[in-house]
Amino acid sequence: MAARALGGAGHLDGRKYVDVMTDWLKYQLLDDAAARTCFAGAICGLCTDSAWTRVEHNKKGKALD
C-alpha cells in the first residue's frame, strides 16, 4: 500500500479521488486484478501517474511488488 497525494488538487477535483477510492474498494473487497494494478507492483498506476505525488510503499506494500 502506498501513501499518495494528488498534487495541486482543489475542492473541485473530487472525481479523481472517487476513481481511486472505487479502485481501492474493488481491489480490497472483490480482489479485482485490474484495480490491483493501480496500487500494487513496482510500476503501479498511481506510482507512474505524474498527477499523484509522495508515493511511498510500506512493508505490506513492498511485499505486493
Side-chain angles (χ1 to χ4, degrees):
M1 185 174 1
R4 294 169 176 82
L6 182 57
H11 293 295
L12 301 176
D13 296 319
R15 185 70 213 166
K16 293 176 186 176
Y17 288 110
V18 169
D19 291 341
V20 171
M21 288 185 281
T22 301
D23 281 344
W24 179 253
L25 291 173
K26 287 179 181 178
Y27 167 43
Q28 293 296 308
L29 301 176
L30 303 174
D31 198 28
D32 185 296
R36 181 185 188 280
T37 64
C38 186
F39 304 99
I43 54 170
C44 70
L46 291 181
C47 299
T48 58
D49 185 341
S50 62
W52 293 87
T53 59
R54 216 178 126 234
V55 176
E56 302 168 9
H57 284 91
N58 62 21
K59 202 182 279 187
K60 270 185 164 178
K62 287 181 182 180
L64 296 173
D65 289 346

